[in-house]
Amino acid sequence: MNHHSVLLVVDVQNGFTPGGNLAVAHADHIIPTINQLAQQFTHVVLTQDWHPHNHISFVENHVGKQAYQQIELDYGTQVLWPSHCVQGTPDAELHPDLNIQHAQLIIRKGFNAQIDSYSAFQEADRKTKTGLAGYLKERDIQQVFVVGIATDFCVAWSAIDSAELGFTTYVVQDACQGIDLDGSLAQAWQAMLHAGVKRIQAVDVPTYLTQGDCA
């Protein structure tokens, strides 16, 4: 195993899988691949959306607005989502099929009622840090492999931040599932590739782990 790499598993929760409050179609299909990939990593970090009921991103908290409408807030453009992953509810729990017993850390994000948080590294104000970067650097992590839900939002924002922080960053395409809201998936891939993120498949992971270990 490569001790300088981490698998970052983004938001594999009930709320984003079939039956959840913000279900992404077929998102449960990637879970076996994620479980298999995790066995190749010493270091695994999970993220978990963890919203209060009055979160600013919930359309229910904006009178007269529609789900998936975009509004402007102090920190920028915000998509209004149906209420999801509310703290302490079954919707916020990690999916029961996710089986990664050796994961060392869960980063909970989106718990600030006034700021959304897609990225595992910082909130949407681009100022408030989660501490994940410091955690990884303290452990001499150099490569970040990102998987999970949704490709075009939390996966993409996490991967772009990872690359900008200096980590060699890969998104494992067939271990992610996107929403594709008005072309958001293609836009997200374009932004990730522009930031230097590498798009790979699960079968490629052992090769890149070996390369990173040699480096």
Side-chain angles (χ1 to χ4, degrees):
M1 290 188 180
N2 184 331
H3 295 280
H4 300 290
S5 299
V6 67
L7 183 68
L8 179 60
V9 181
V10 177
D11 296 356
V12 182
Q13 297 169 255
N14 291 334
F16 298 123
T17 49
N21 290 340
L22 188 51
V24 177
H26 311 301
D28 54 331
H29 294 181
I30 65 173
I31 297 175
T33 302
I34 293 172
N35 288 337
Q36 292 167 8
L37 285 173
Q39 300 311 309
Q40 302 176 49
F41 288 82
T42 301
H43 301 288
V44 180
V45 172
L46 313 178
T47 75
Q48 190 176 16
D49 242 22
W50 196 250
H51 297 306
H53 65 88
N54 61 336
H55 196 260
I56 200 165
S57 74
F58 291 170
V59 66
E60 291 85 348
N61 295 324
H62 297 270
V63 177
K65 301 297 183 182
Q66 301 296 318
Y68 309 109
Q69 185 175 347
Q70 295 185 2
I71 63 171
E72 292 300 318
L73 297 174
D74 291 343
Y75 55 80
T77 303
Q78 174 66 54
V79 177
L80 295 179
W81 306 104
S83 296
H84 62 278
C85 297
V86 172
Q87 296 168 359
T89 66
D91 201 62
E93 293 176 3
L94 297 171
H95 194 282
D97 291 345
L98 191 68
N99 183 21
I100 309 177
Q101 299 302 320
H102 65 289
Q104 301 104 327
L105 178 69
I106 298 174
I107 292 284
R108 284 178 167 171
K109 56 190 183 64
F111 52 80
N112 184 331
Q114 296 304 312
I115 308 173
D116 206 3
S117 185
Y118 295 148
S119 173
F121 292 92
Q122 60 184 341
E123 296 183 0
D125 62 357
R126 319 304 291 161
K127 298 176 183 177
T128 307
K129 311 301 181 186
T130 66
L132 178 57
Y135 178 92
L136 298 180
K137 289 176 180 178
E138 286 283 349
R139 284 153 180 77
D140 197 23
I141 298 298
Q142 299 163 14
Q143 293 182 305
V144 177
F145 292 77
V146 190
V147 300
I149 314 166
T151 315
D152 35 348
F153 288 93
C154 296
V155 167
W157 286 50
S158 297
I160 290 168
D161 282 350
S162 174
E164 291 180 348
L165 286 162
F167 299 103
T168 302
T169 304
Y170 307 88
V171 169
V172 186
Q173 185 174 10
D174 54 342
C176 299
Q177 188 67 30
I179 297 173
D180 203 10
L181 186 64
D182 297 325
S184 59
L185 186 57
Q187 293 171 12
W189 276 116
Q190 183 177 15
M192 285 189 279
L193 296 173
H194 180 75
V197 175
K198 298 173 174 62
R199 175 166 50 187
I200 65 172
Q201 305 299 314
V203 69
D204 303 322
V205 169
T207 299
Y208 288 102
L209 282 173
T210 302
Q211 291 174 356
D213 203 32
C214 292

